[in-house]
Amino acid sequence: MRAMDLRLALTTFVTVFLAELGDKTQLATFTLATGASTSNARWSVFAGSAVALVLSSLIAVTLADQIARRVNVRWLEGGAGIFLLGMGAYYLFGAIRGS
């Protein structure tokens, strides 16, 4: 078994942590926690949301591994970059038209 790449782990942690701040997943968890009437219920919300994030991350890593075995990583990186640029342009022009 290989040793964990701590730098990559820290980079992943910071990226996911910042991406999750204020997104719909955090807001949904916030809403569920405010409806929890006891400390035990709030811990149940925490446990449920933590397991959901871990499971969704497992699915993402597993799918990425399978795709990376079949498609050149450079093509994946390029495709992701083009997709993100396209989404940014779409939202930017939508905001300009809306104002």
Side-chain angles (χ1 to χ4, degrees):
M1 182 172 192
R2 293 183 184 167
M4 183 186 301
D5 182 342
L6 292 178
R7 184 180 182 128
L8 180 58
L10 181 60
T11 300
T12 303
F13 170 81
V14 170
T15 302
V16 172
F17 182 80
L18 292 176
E20 290 295 322
L21 286 178
D23 85 334
K24 63 185 183 242
T25 304
Q26 187 181 34
L27 296 175
T29 303
F30 179 86
T31 302
L32 289 167
T34 58
S37 58
T38 66
S39 178
N40 284 344
R42 284 187 287 279
W43 278 107
S44 296
V45 170
F46 169 74
S49 66
V51 170
L53 182 58
V54 168
L55 183 58
S56 66
S57 297
L58 175 65
I59 291 168
V61 170
T62 302
L63 286 175
D65 179 57
Q66 293 303 311
I67 292 170
R69 290 173 192 238
R70 293 169 175 77
V71 179
N72 186 319
V73 175
R74 300 289 286 167
W75 283 96
L76 290 173
E77 290 171 346
I82 290 169
F83 176 75
L84 291 173
L85 286 172
M87 291 299 296
Y90 174 79
Y91 286 117
L92 177 64
F93 291 126
I96 290 171
R97 272 195 238 145
S99 53

